[in-house]
Amino acid sequence: MIRIKQRVKFLLVAAALITACLLLLFVLPSRALTKGHAELLFELHRNRFEEAASLTLQQGSGSGVRTPPGVDDMELYGTYSGCVEFSMGGFGLVPSSTYWGVIYATEDTPVGWGGLEMEYTWDGQSWVWREENGDNRSYVTKLDDHWYLYEMSF
């Protein structure tokens, strides 16, 4: 009888742990945990990103547009540049923070976080911007035509 109770207890604990792991893997990550995770979510749900960018550009705002998985916020930056930023995560406390996400740029050129025009230089793997007299920096990597992965650090 004691063995049966121990076995039932063990099975209940194991089921609870498995359920918790599944929640952590599939339900709770409503945002990208890292820049690499943001890239993976973009690849897995590209059609949702394309649909959201298209609707946001057509409407002139992201209001009412369903956000793709992992996206915290969507912003349209300037009709002159036609950029939609998908903010997907961040880490740190001001003044030392890093943010990442995906940008759709109609002109197919790297665009900075927040729609800022920055002077990027190519380092062989990505476009890089560094603040002249400070530690702010931005990295932009091309995912595909018009699609860019960004990281901005303050």
Side-chain angles (χ1 to χ4, degrees), residues 86-102:
F86 299 86
S87 300
M88 298 179 72
F91 178 79
L93 299 172
V94 175
S96 180
S97 301
T98 300
Y99 302 94
W100 51 82
V102 172

PDB file of all heavy atoms in Angstrom, residues 86-102:
ATOM      1  N   PHE A  86       9.014  45.578 -35.176  1.00  0.00           N
ATOM      2  CA  PHE A  86       8.411  44.580 -34.303  1.00  0.00           C
ATOM      3  C   PHE A  86       9.325  44.438 -33.086  1.00  0.00           C
ATOM      4  O   PHE A  86      10.346  43.748 -33.156  1.00  0.00           O
ATOM      5  CB  PHE A  86       8.283  43.241 -35.024  1.00  0.00           C
ATOM      6  CG  PHE A  86       7.413  43.282 -36.252  1.00  0.00           C
ATOM      7  CD1 PHE A  86       7.930  43.638 -37.485  1.00  0.00           C
ATOM      8  CD2 PHE A  86       6.063  42.972 -36.160  1.00  0.00           C
ATOM      9  CE1 PHE A  86       7.126  43.669 -38.610  1.00  0.00           C
ATOM     10  CE2 PHE A  86       5.243  43.010 -37.277  1.00  0.00           C
ATOM     11  CZ  PHE A  86       5.776  43.362 -38.511  1.00  0.00           C
ATOM     12  N   SER A  87       8.995  45.108 -31.998  1.00  0.00           N
ATOM     13  CA  SER A  87       9.790  45.011 -30.770  1.00  0.00           C
ATOM     14  C   SER A  87       9.522  43.654 -30.142  1.00  0.00           C
ATOM     15  O   SER A  87       8.374  43.286 -29.908  1.00  0.00           O
ATOM     16  CB  SER A  87       9.391  46.107 -29.790  1.00  0.00           C
ATOM     17  OG  SER A  87       9.605  47.373 -30.345  1.00  0.00           O
ATOM     18  N   MET A  88      10.617  42.923 -29.850  1.00  0.00           N
ATOM     19  CA  MET A  88      10.429  41.543 -29.415  1.00  0.00           C
ATOM     20  C   MET A  88      11.067  41.203 -28.079  1.00  0.00           C
ATOM     21  O   MET A  88      10.842  40.108 -27.564  1.00  0.00           O
ATOM     22  CB  MET A  88      10.939  40.603 -30.499  1.00  0.00           C
ATOM     23  CG  MET A  88      10.158  40.768 -31.798  1.00  0.00           C
ATOM     24  SD  MET A  88      10.728  39.698 -33.110  1.00  0.00           S
ATOM     25  CE  MET A  88      10.143  38.110 -32.545  1.00  0.00           C
ATOM     26  N   GLY A  89      11.840  42.090 -27.508  1.00  0.00           N
ATOM     27  CA  GLY A  89      12.425  41.763 -26.215  1.00  0.00           C
ATOM     28  C   GLY A  89      13.453  42.766 -25.784  1.00  0.00           C
ATOM     29  O   GLY A  89      13.811  43.688 -26.517  1.00  0.00           O
ATOM     30  N   GLY A  90      13.914  42.579 -24.584  1.00  0.00           N
ATOM     31  CA  GLY A  90      14.925  43.455 -24.030  1.00  0.00           C
ATOM     32  C   GLY A  90      15.401  42.936 -22.698  1.00  0.00           C
ATOM     33  O   GLY A  90      14.799  42.036 -22.105  1.00  0.00           O
ATOM     34  N   PHE A  91      16.499  43.528 -22.263  1.00  0.00           N
ATOM     35  CA  PHE A  91      17.089  43.091 -21.010  1.00  0.00           C
ATOM     36  C   PHE A  91      17.869  44.256 -20.414  1.00  0.00           C
ATOM     37  O   PHE A  91      18.486  45.033 -21.131  1.00  0.00           O
ATOM     38  CB  PHE A  91      18.037  41.911 -21.242  1.00  0.00           C
ATOM     39  CG  PHE A  91      18.707  41.439 -19.988  1.00  0.00           C
ATOM     40  CD1 PHE A  91      18.029  40.625 -19.093  1.00  0.00           C
ATOM     41  CD2 PHE A  91      20.001  41.807 -19.696  1.00  0.00           C
ATOM     42  CE1 PHE A  91      18.641  40.192 -17.934  1.00  0.00           C
ATOM     43  CE2 PHE A  91      20.622  41.371 -18.541  1.00  0.00           C
ATOM     44  CZ  PHE A  91      19.940  40.559 -17.660  1.00  0.00           C
ATOM     45  N   GLY A  92      17.846  44.363 -19.114  1.00  0.00           N
ATOM     46  CA  GLY A  92      18.662  45.349 -18.428  1.00  0.00           C
ATOM     47  C   GLY A  92      17.841  46.469 -17.835  1.00  0.00           C
ATOM     48  O   GLY A  92      16.639  46.576 -18.044  1.00  0.00           O
ATOM     49  N   LEU A  93      18.525  47.292 -17.077  1.00  0.00           N
ATOM     50  CA  LEU A  93      17.922  48.454 -16.456  1.00  0.00           C
ATOM     51  C   LEU A  93      18.604  49.704 -17.008  1.00  0.00           C
ATOM     52  O   LEU A  93      19.807  49.704 -17.238  1.00  0.00           O
ATOM     53  CB  LEU A  93      18.106  48.406 -14.933  1.00  0.00           C
ATOM     54  CG  LEU A  93      17.467  47.209 -14.220  1.00  0.00           C
ATOM     55  CD1 LEU A  93      17.880  47.179 -12.757  1.00  0.00           C
ATOM     56  CD2 LEU A  93      15.953  47.280 -14.324  1.00  0.00           C
ATOM     57  N   VAL A  94      17.809  50.731 -17.186  1.00  0.00           N
ATOM     58  CA  VAL A  94      18.366  51.993 -17.664  1.00  0.00           C
ATOM     59  C   VAL A  94      19.416  52.427 -16.667  1.00  0.00           C
ATOM     60  O   VAL A  94      19.192  52.327 -15.460  1.00  0.00           O
ATOM     61  CB  VAL A  94      17.235  53.032 -17.798  1.00  0.00           C
ATOM     62  CG1 VAL A  94      17.785  54.384 -18.162  1.00  0.00           C
ATOM     63  CG2 VAL A  94      16.207  52.560 -18.809  1.00  0.00           C
ATOM     64  N   PRO A  95      20.583  52.863 -17.054  1.00  0.00           N
ATOM     65  CA  PRO A  95      20.982  53.248 -18.399  1.00  0.00           C
ATOM     66  C   PRO A  95      21.704  52.156 -19.177  1.00  0.00           C
ATOM     67  O   PRO A  95      22.354  52.440 -20.167  1.00  0.00           O
ATOM     68  CB  PRO A  95      21.936  54.408 -18.133  1.00  0.00           C
ATOM     69  CG  PRO A  95      22.638  54.006 -16.881  1.00  0.00           C
ATOM     70  CD  PRO A  95      21.599  53.263 -16.066  1.00  0.00           C
ATOM     71  N   SER A  96      21.614  50.916 -18.754  1.00  0.00           N
ATOM     72  CA  SER A  96      22.326  49.836 -19.432  1.00  0.00           C
ATOM     73  C   SER A  96      21.327  48.785 -19.895  1.00  0.00           C
ATOM     74  O   SER A  96      21.105  47.789 -19.221  1.00  0.00           O
ATOM     75  CB  SER A  96      23.352  49.218 -18.481  1.00  0.00           C
ATOM     76  OG  SER A  96      24.051  48.188 -19.117  1.00  0.00           O
ATOM     77  N   SER A  97      20.728  49.023 -21.058  1.00  0.00           N
ATOM     78  CA  SER A  97      19.685  48.139 -21.564  1.00  0.00           C
ATOM     79  C   SER A  97      19.973  47.721 -22.998  1.00  0.00           C
ATOM     80  O   SER A  97      20.626  48.450 -23.741  1.00  0.00           O
ATOM     81  CB  SER A  97      18.327  48.836 -21.534  1.00  0.00           C
ATOM     82  OG  SER A  97      18.001  49.227 -20.232  1.00  0.00           O
ATOM     83  N   THR A  98      19.452  46.577 -23.378  1.00  0.00           N
ATOM     84  CA  THR A  98      19.558  46.091 -24.750  1.00  0.00           C
ATOM     85  C   THR A  98      18.162  45.670 -25.204  1.00  0.00           C
ATOM     86  O   THR A  98      17.433  45.026 -24.456  1.00  0.00           O
ATOM     87  CB  THR A  98      20.520  44.897 -24.840  1.00  0.00           C
ATOM     88  OG1 THR A  98      21.814  45.313 -24.390  1.00  0.00           O
ATOM     89  CG2 THR A  98      20.626  44.369 -26.256  1.00  0.00           C
ATOM     90  N   TYR A  99      17.816  46.056 -26.421  1.00  0.00           N
ATOM     91  CA  TYR A  99      16.524  45.720 -27.016  1.00  0.00           C
ATOM     92  C   TYR A  99      16.758  45.023 -28.346  1.00  0.00           C
ATOM     93  O   TYR A  99      17.747  45.308 -29.023  1.00  0.00           O
ATOM     94  CB  TYR A  99      15.677  46.977 -27.242  1.00  0.00           C
ATOM     95  CG  TYR A  99      15.433  47.744 -25.970  1.00  0.00           C
ATOM     96  CD1 TYR A  99      16.263  48.788 -25.594  1.00  0.00           C
ATOM     97  CD2 TYR A  99      14.375  47.396 -25.136  1.00  0.00           C
ATOM     98  CE1 TYR A  99      16.048  49.482 -24.418  1.00  0.00           C
ATOM     99  CE2 TYR A  99      14.153  48.079 -23.956  1.00  0.00           C
ATOM    100  CZ  TYR A  99      14.999  49.124 -23.607  1.00  0.00           C
ATOM    101  OH  TYR A  99      14.776  49.795 -22.430  1.00  0.00           O
ATOM    102  N   TRP A 100      15.829  44.147 -28.745  1.00  0.00           N
ATOM    103  CA  TRP A 100      15.962  43.471 -30.031  1.00  0.00           C
ATOM    104  C   TRP A 100      14.602  43.259 -30.656  1.00  0.00           C
ATOM    105  O   TRP A 100      13.577  43.304 -29.998  1.00  0.00           O
ATOM    106  CB  TRP A 100      16.706  42.153 -29.887  1.00  0.00           C
ATOM    107  CG  TRP A 100      16.161  41.252 -28.822  1.00  0.00           C
ATOM    108  CD1 TRP A 100      15.089  40.404 -28.925  1.00  0.00           C
ATOM    109  CD2 TRP A 100      16.636  41.121 -27.487  1.00  0.00           C
ATOM    110  NE1 TRP A 100      14.879  39.750 -27.735  1.00  0.00           N
ATOM    111  CE2 TRP A 100      15.814  40.178 -26.832  1.00  0.00           C
ATOM    112  CE3 TRP A 100      17.677  41.709 -26.777  1.00  0.00           C
ATOM    113  CZ2 TRP A 100      16.012  39.805 -25.507  1.00  0.00           C
ATOM    114  CZ3 TRP A 100      17.858  41.338 -25.459  1.00  0.00           C
ATOM    115  CH2 TRP A 100      17.040  40.401 -24.846  1.00  0.00           C
ATOM    116  N   GLY A 101      14.651  43.002 -31.958  1.00  0.00           N
ATOM    117  CA  GLY A 101      13.420  42.753 -32.695  1.00  0.00           C
ATOM    118  C   GLY A 101      13.683  42.679 -34.182  1.00  0.00           C
ATOM    119  O   GLY A 101      14.828  42.531 -34.626  1.00  0.00           O
ATOM    120  N   VAL A 102      12.611  42.799 -34.952  1.00  0.00           N
ATOM    121  CA  VAL A 102      12.670  42.680 -36.410  1.00  0.00           C
ATOM    122  C   VAL A 102      12.089  43.951 -37.016  1.00  0.00           C
ATOM    123  O   VAL A 102      11.126  44.512 -36.489  1.00  0.00           O
ATOM    124  CB  VAL A 102      11.872  41.438 -36.873  1.00  0.00           C
ATOM    125  CG1 VAL A 102      11.747  41.375 -38.378  1.00  0.00           C
ATOM    126  CG2 VAL A 102      12.519  40.165 -36.340  1.00  0.00           C
TER     127      VAL A 102
END
